[in-house]
Amino acid sequence: INGEQLRQAAELLHSARRVICMGQGSSMVLAEEAWTLFSTISSKFVFISDSHFQLNSIALMSKEDVVLFFSYSGSTRELQDVLAVSRPMGIKVILVSRFPKSPGAAYADVVLQCGADEGPLQAGSVNARMAQLFVLDVLFQEFCMRAPEETEQSREQIAEAVARKHL
């Protein structure tokens, strides 16, 4: 993981008004995991799975918003569509991908490289998912360090609310 890219991504997420977590296929599961994790400390994170709704949401975003996109290949049509709509609007895009020189990475503002190889017949392999989860965990920790008091307060509030679910 490039430390400067990591810090830049965490700062973009921290200063964003809203963050939309996106991906397609098995990477969409990672986008949902990102939303699940970040929503434990901030309500500004949103998960959108459908590619049409992703574009709808981007069309209504502003320069204060950020897209966190998971794409192992960095070369899916959906990612290209997101970049085509977000770039002219000045919306920042953070891409988590294996390939820092992919077509999507060329236009993303920040690329966080995940380092597990996956063959064309291994779509969604455990190795690739673990690599993306590792990047997500490191990004989350970096994000939390930007506002430790807020993070702790949010976690305490959520723990209190969720305690009702325990018998």
Side-chain angles (χ1 to χ4, degrees), residues 51-132:
S51 62
H52 292 90
F53 291 135
Q54 290 173 353
L55 292 175
N56 291 355
S57 296
I58 291 171
L60 300 176
M61 291 174 82
S62 72
K63 291 180 181 180
E64 291 81 37
D65 300 322
V66 171
V67 171
L68 176 58
F69 203 102
F70 289 78
S71 174
Y72 178 83
S73 69
S75 60
T76 62
R77 180 74 201 163
E78 291 81 8
L79 174 58
Q80 296 305 312
D81 291 345
V82 165
L83 291 167
V85 175
S86 64
R87 294 297 290 172
M89 297 174 64
I91 297 166
K92 301 293 184 201
V93 175
I94 300 166
L95 173 63
V96 178
S97 176
R98 170 67 175 111
F99 303 101
K101 294 182 181 179
S102 64
Y107 295 101
D109 296 284
V110 178
V111 179
L112 299 176
Q113 185 179 11
C114 58
D117 288 328
E118 178 178 83
L121 301 177
Q122 293 178 298
S125 72
V126 172
N127 290 342
R129 288 180 191 204
M130 293 305 292
Q132 289 178 316

Side-chain angles (χ1 to χ4, degrees), residues 4-159:
E4 181 53 39
Q5 293 285 302
L6 178 67
R7 286 185 285 283
Q8 188 177 356
E11 190 53 44
L12 283 173
L13 294 177
H14 181 72
S15 62
R17 180 181 65 97
R18 184 172 62 145
V19 178
I20 299 183
C21 302
M22 301 179 184
Q24 294 300 314
S26 59
S27 291
M28 186 249 318
V29 175
L30 276 298
E32 185 173 17
E33 181 65 28
W35 165 71
T36 301
L37 187 59
F38 281 102
S39 69
T40 65
I41 58 172
S42 175
S43 61
K44 70 181 173 182
F45 289 83
V46 178
F47 167 68
I48 302 175
S49 60
D50 182 82
S51 62
H52 292 90
F53 291 135
Q54 290 173 353
L55 292 175
N56 291 355
S57 296
I58 291 171
L60 300 176
M61 291 174 82
S62 72
K63 291 180 181 180
E64 291 81 37
D65 300 322
V66 171
V67 171
L68 176 58
F69 203 102
F70 289 78
S71 174
Y72 178 83
S73 69
S75 60
T76 62
R77 180 74 201 163
E78 291 81 8
L79 174 58
Q80 296 305 312
D81 291 345
V82 165
L83 291 167
V85 175
S86 64
R87 294 297 290 172
M89 297 174 64
I91 297 166
K92 301 293 184 201
V93 175
I94 300 166
L95 173 63
V96 178
S97 176
R98 170 67 175 111
F99 303 101
K101 294 182 181 179
S102 64
Y107 295 101
D109 296 284
V110 178
V111 179
L112 299 176
Q113 185 179 11
C114 58
D117 288 328
E118 178 178 83
L121 301 177
Q122 293 178 298
S125 72
V126 172
N127 290 342
R129 288 180 191 204
M130 293 305 292
Q132 289 178 316
L133 281 171
F134 176 74
V135 170
L136 174 58
D137 188 58
V138 173
L139 177 60
F140 181 71
Q141 296 306 317
E142 186 73 23
F143 178 84
C144 291
M145 291 189 323
R146 300 239 171 324
E149 296 82 20
E150 292 174 25
T151 298
E152 185 176 341
Q153 181 182 2
S154 294
R155 288 197 159 175
E156 287 173 1
Q157 289 173 301
I158 287 174

